[in-house]
Amino acid sequence: MAEVIIVKDEDEAGELYASCVADLIRSKPDAVLGLATGSSPLAAYRHLARRVAQDGIDVSKVRGFALDEYAGLDPRHPQSYRSTITRTVVEPVGLNPDLVHVPDGNLKTIAGAGRAYDATIEAAGGVDLQILGIGTDGHIGFNEPGSSLASGTRIKTLAEQTRIDNARFFDGDIERVPTHCITQGIGTILKARHLVLLAFGAGKAEAIEETCEGGISAFCPASALQLHPHATVIVDEAAASRLRHKDYYKYAFAHKPAWQGI
Ligand code: F6R
């Protein structure tokens, strides 16, 4: 079962993530970070950038792997996940862009791109710390409900709800949101050594309840986190509002020895 940490807001979650990454890079300068796009990790990336600058952490050898990419969207498009990762993490944190990989959404080469991506992750020694957001339907990466819990990186059809949710990045026009994507599979994500899932706001409450306290099911892909030996779910009060064991999570975190980190 994942550790659930209930925080005041995105900034407090961002601090926890930034400390965790800073410790990781100090002990492993060529650490491999799993990177997500979307709104949920933005504060975390901001705090990481600040921490790196403040503490003078050398990130020149840090490597990165994005979770997913839209299929058929030019990587130079401002809403491609290549552009988004560059804008929100690579540039602010000062990562070497040559060491940061994003799945290949080119329709001409997409058929073999998933397997190649998983092989590249494996050749890098695997992901040390994977940050995740969660969709209102419980997706992680772009593994929509029904995705195999053992899946590798592959092409997927986006659920209509996900396209509606993401239309905000395309001037509110769902027609401009691609219908397909290439995403790390749930099996790929589970191979990362530490998973940190962030969720904020009441809109995520049901997905968080199912993820943490429901049964493990392909119909809530994030529930696969219950199978992982080191998964941390960081939520605000609104996203935690449907959790039955909220008091226990708060109690456990309040009594956690500081040296354990997250
Ligand atoms: C993004 C990704 C998605 C998002 C999810 C939540 O790389 O993999 O799973 O994390 O759709 O998006 P936000 O954070 O915008 O609510």
Side-chain angles (χ1 to χ4, degrees):
M1 172 46 205
E3 176 182 23
V4 179
I5 303 175
I6 301 169
V7 293
K8 194 166 59 43
D9 54 23
E10 299 187 29
D11 281 316
E12 194 180 340
E15 294 271 12
L16 288 172
Y17 170 77
S19 296
C20 185
V21 176
D23 290 347
L24 171 67
I25 299 172
R26 279 195 199 95
S27 65
K28 184 179 178 188
D30 64 345
V32 180
L33 301 180
L35 303 169
T37 58
S39 313
S40 307
L42 293 178
Y45 295 148
R46 271 200 311 275
H47 282 275
L48 178 59
R50 209 203 47 205
R51 176 65 69 95
V52 163
Q54 240 173 33
D55 297 359
I57 300 170
D58 177 8
V59 294
S60 61
K61 297 193 183 69
V62 171
R63 296 164 290 166
F65 286 90
L67 278 174
D68 39 22
E69 178 58 286
Y70 288 114
L73 195 65
D74 190 317
R76 289 165 303 184
H77 187 288
Q79 294 309 329
S80 77
Y81 283 180
R82 163 65 73 187
S83 300
T84 306
I85 288 285
T86 302
R87 199 168 53 237
T88 58
V89 203
V90 175
E91 288 174 352
V93 176
L95 302 180
N96 177 350
D98 296 338
L99 301 180
V100 177
H101 306 259
V102 178
D104 171 18
N106 184 330
L107 293 176
K108 293 196 182 108
T109 44
I110 203 164
R115 229 176 285 165
Y117 199 66
D118 285 345
T120 313
I121 295 176
E122 219 150 285
V127 170
D128 290 302
L129 198 162
Q130 174 68 58
I131 192 169
L132 297 166
I134 183 171
T136 51
D137 60 3
H139 71 237
I140 48 174
F142 271 143
N143 295 282
E144 299 288 19
S147 296
S148 158
L149 300 185
S151 47
T153 303
R154 72 231 181 279
I155 187 167
K156 287 290 288 180
T157 309
L158 291 173
E160 181 154 30
Q161 185 60 53
T162 302
R163 293 181 65 228
I164 292 169
D165 289 345
N166 287 6
R168 69 191 192 277
F169 297 115
F170 293 85
D171 300 325
D173 182 1
I174 187 179
E175 293 308 319
R176 290 173 52 195
V177 184
T179 51
H180 290 78
C181 65
I182 175 168
T183 179
Q184 284 192 30
I186 300 174
T188 314
I189 293 169
L190 290 179
K191 284 185 190 157
R193 286 179 274 281
H194 183 190
L195 304 177
V196 176
L197 186 146
L198 306 176
F200 309 105
K204 300 288 173 77
E206 201 177 328
I208 287 296
E209 178 189 22
E210 272 192 62
T211 296
C212 300
E213 297 181 347
I216 298 171
S217 162
F219 287 89
C220 176
S223 65
L225 263 68
Q226 294 181 35
L227 295 166
H228 195 280
H230 190 185
T232 310
V233 174
I234 309 180
V235 285
D236 64 4
E237 286 284 353
S241 58
R242 293 174 61 121
L243 293 174
R244 270 172 295 142
H245 299 283
K246 218 164 36 168
D247 291 344
Y248 172 71
Y249 306 138
K250 287 183 179 176
Y251 177 87
F253 188 62
H255 291 85
K256 189 175 184 183
W259 58 263
Q260 276 190 334
I262 60 168

